Each structure stands twice: as C-alpha cells, then as structure tokens.
Amino acid sequence: MSTIGPDGKPLPQVYRIRNADTSRIQYRMLDSVNALREAKGAAPVALNAQLTAAAATHARDMSVQNRPWHFGSDGSSPIDRVRRVGYTGELVGEAISETYETELETLAAWMEEEGSRRVILDPAARELGFSWLQEDNGKIWWTLVMGR
C-alpha cells in the first residue's frame, strides 16, 4: 500500500490512543502549552480536573454531533460546561479540533489560528483542562479549556 496520496503528500497515519496513554498525553500537552506560554512571558498553567471533565464531556458531545463547534447538543456553551462540573474560576476560553493528528500536531494547528492561540497564551489563565474522544475509525475530537 502506498504511503503517498494522489497529491504527492504523505497519507495520514492513524494515531491510536490507548487508555494507558491518558496521563502521558495530558502532561505532554500541559508541558507544551507551558513552554509556549513561557516563551511569551506568561505564567504557567496547572492541569485542573474539573476543566478536564468539562473538556471530556465536550469532546464526547462533538463526536455525537459529528461536528467541531463550541456549543453542546443541549445548547450549552463552554461557560455552562465549566459551571456544570463545579469549576468556581472563570473561563478563559476553549480550543477544539476534529482530526486524526496527535495532540502536539493539534496544538501546532491551534497556535496557527488567532482565536485559539489567544486562549492558550492568555496571560490571565492559570489552569488547563484537556481531553479527547477517539472514534473507532481513528478520528479524534480534542478539547482544551483554559480557566483562571
């Protein structure tokens, strides 16, 4: 089987995530976000379980809806979702993606987009939630939530 597509570019490889990879992936994202923040003079953020729960809920819901967008199937906003999990801080913002790429490739894509880059580098952010849902076909729904 050819690894080059008709456009001459490499065909995407399915990035399979195992349950045992969860902590490694979350902390790799946290370390990468903090390196980007440090380069811009922003304080580091800490992984927050409540924000991660809100991110997991939204990743699952985007898969159910089969579309990447910031509103839940029940009409919920990112603010609604962080409140539902008991987060008492303030939402800074959310970055989402529908892809077959790794978390670091996804972070690089987010940094190319002004809105998600602003959320990730917001100097007021102090906490991060990060989760995903991977479908059987390999598609990954990534959600990153920043709070303060």
Side-chain angles (χ1 to χ4, degrees), residues 57-73 96-100 133-141:
T57 297
H58 192 55
R60 191 175 322 107
D61 193 48
M62 286 190 298
S63 172
V64 168
Q65 296 182 73
N66 195 34
R67 64 177 170 177
W69 74 322
H70 293 283
F71 293 94
S73 56
I96 58 172
S97 180
E98 165 198 20
T99 185
Y100 292 87
L133 180 119
Q134 185 166 36
E135 296 179 354
D136 291 340
N137 66 6
K139 182 189 293 185
I140 307 168
W141 301 87

Side-chain angles (χ1 to χ4, degrees), residues 30 33-34 36-38 41-48 51 87 89-95 115-129 144-148:
L30 177 67
V33 164
N34 280 333
L36 292 166
R37 291 175 60 79
E38 181 181 10
V45 293
L47 195 59
N48 177 281
L51 292 177
Y87 185 68
E90 184 179 331
L91 175 74
V92 170
E94 177 181 77
S116 54
R117 182 176 59 249
R118 190 177 15 215
V119 167
I120 291 165
L121 298 178
D122 190 310
R126 293 294 177 262
E127 297 174 301
L128 170 148
L144 180 142
V145 181
M146 302 289 280
R148 60 177 166 221

